[in-house]
Amino acid sequence: MRPLSMSGHFLLAPIPESSSDYLLPKDIKLAVLGAGRVGKSAMIVRFLTKRFIGDYEPNTGKLYSRLVYVEGDQLSLQIQDTPGGVQIQDSLPQVVDSLSKCVQWAEGFLLVYSITDYDSYLSIRPLYQHIRKVHPDSKAPVIIVGNKGDLLHARQVQTQDGIQLANELGSLFLEISTSENYEDVCDVFQHLCKEVSKMHGLSGERRRASIIPRPRSPNMQDLKRRFKQALSPKVKAPSALG
Ligand SMILES: Nc1nc2c(ncn2[C@@H]2O[C@H](COP(=O)(O)OP(=O)(O)OP(=O)(O)O)[C@@H](O)[C@H]2O)c(=O)[nH]1
């Protein structure tokens, strides 16, 4: 290792053997969907900042962009929050259209309901079907999340209902409390990132930056070789130069 000078500071950092060792972070695009005030924004903010912020204005579709590390891999993560007012069954065409664009853009999905709101649970299946309709050829990873697991006294959706639905749809399922358990929120997002990464086929081989060493001119190399050959005692005829 050699010391690397950066803005007046000396850091010990390995200098890449070649410029092709510079790595780009993987791009991961996620969307969080769910009908009603199920805690989508709270989940995203909890994951990105560790903080639970109790009060949010109803969101109109915010995009979060962050560099994050998942198991040592640097990811350029984008998370699209979607408005909870959207019901895929009975929404206006333009609302469904904007949701479809978001679904088209994303590669991995969190479908969130609140365990205190049975209607939000019922909206998961149509949302899931919508994702599969928009991505007919890819098996984009989907995780179903039952949020607000701390509000047991107000429970309307049993854990078993969540498990059954997830089994039917072939998704992963987790019941969590965004307000009480940061680790569970983190697990959900990290798992989804890993699934998307796997889907990219990038888990083993990391994409390399386009900064690649300039190839040596083949003509110069060839010329050198032929000069060497020509100067070698074994070569008698000057015609060796061609
Ligand atoms: N008790 C409890 N409250 C939660 C939890 N997660 C979110 N909330 C609350 O639920 C309310 C709605 O949370 P939001 O994150 O705004 O919900 P949303 O799904 O983004 O709603 P829209 O912005 O309308 O799409 C807020 O008052 C949050 O504090 C949780 O795990 N437990």
Side-chain angles (χ1 to χ4, degrees):
M1 267 193 226
R2 283 187 280 148
L4 175 72
S5 170
M6 263 176 65
S7 344
H9 299 285
F10 284 92
L11 304 171
L12 278 178
I15 294 175
E17 294 288 308
S18 83
S19 48
S20 63
D21 282 344
Y22 290 104
L23 298 173
L24 281 180
K26 299 169 187 172
D27 287 321
I28 304 279
K29 290 179 265 179
L30 309 181
V32 184
L33 298 99
R37 307 222 62 203
V38 294
K40 299 181 296 294
S41 312
M43 268 184 76
I44 299 170
V45 172
R46 184 79 147 134
F47 171 60
L48 295 176
T49 69
K50 288 195 176 176
R51 293 194 306 153
F52 175 71
I53 298 165
D55 236 1
Y56 290 95
E57 292 292 305
N59 95 85
T60 49
K62 195 170 168 186
L63 180 70
Y64 297 80
S65 299
R66 283 298 148 83
L67 275 179
V68 296
Y69 284 89
V70 174
E71 291 185 351
D73 268 351
Q74 197 186 34
L75 307 178
S76 170
L77 180 61
Q78 294 188 75
I79 307 174
Q80 178 70 60
D81 197 354
T82 57
V86 175
Q87 297 275 343
I88 205 73
Q89 308 95 306
D90 45 30
S91 284
L92 296 169
Q94 53 269 46
V95 176
V96 175
D97 189 48
S98 93
L99 188 73
S100 298
K101 279 189 187 133
C102 161
V103 170
Q104 183 79 61
W105 166 88
E107 306 157 300
F109 301 88
L110 289 185
L111 296 186
V112 186
Y113 67 85
S114 163
I115 67 153
T116 64
D117 175 0
Y118 199 75
D119 285 343
S120 71
Y121 168 77
L122 290 179
S123 73
I124 296 294
R125 187 190 297 273
L127 282 171
Y128 179 89
Q129 286 164 344
H130 188 69
I131 293 168
R132 292 291 171 240
K133 199 166 123 196
V134 174
H135 291 275
D137 302 325
S138 89
K139 188 79 179 137
V142 175
I143 300 181
I144 296 174
V145 177
N147 189 33
K148 306 198 188 182
D150 54 299
L151 299 179
L152 292 173
H153 58 281
R155 187 192 273 281
Q156 292 183 3
V157 187
Q158 299 307 313
T159 309
Q160 194 50 40
D161 296 334
I163 295 172
Q164 195 180 324
L165 179 66
N167 281 344
E168 246 180 77
L169 302 179
S171 294
L172 279 172
F173 168 71
L174 230 91
E175 203 172 271
I176 65 168
S177 164
T178 298
S179 63
E180 298 210 333
N181 196 326
Y182 164 72
E183 275 73 30
D184 282 352
V185 176
C186 205
D187 279 354
V188 168
F189 278 99
Q190 292 202 346
H191 193 85
L192 191 58
C193 286
K194 279 188 270 176
E195 288 298 304
V196 171
S197 193
K198 254 195 242 164
M199 196 183 67
H200 281 177
L202 294 175
S203 31
E205 56 172 72
R206 302 180 68 186
R207 269 183 306 170
R208 290 179 183 273
S210 54
I211 321 160
I212 48 170
R214 199 158 62 93
R216 282 204 230 142
S217 155
N219 289 344
M220 279 303 289
Q221 270 182 306
D222 193 38
L223 214 61
K224 273 187 197 163
R225 186 182 55 77
R226 292 166 82 184
F227 261 121
K228 254 192 197 160
Q229 229 174 36
L231 295 174
S232 125
K234 280 184 200 151
V235 180
K236 285 167 196 147
S239 62
L241 261 175

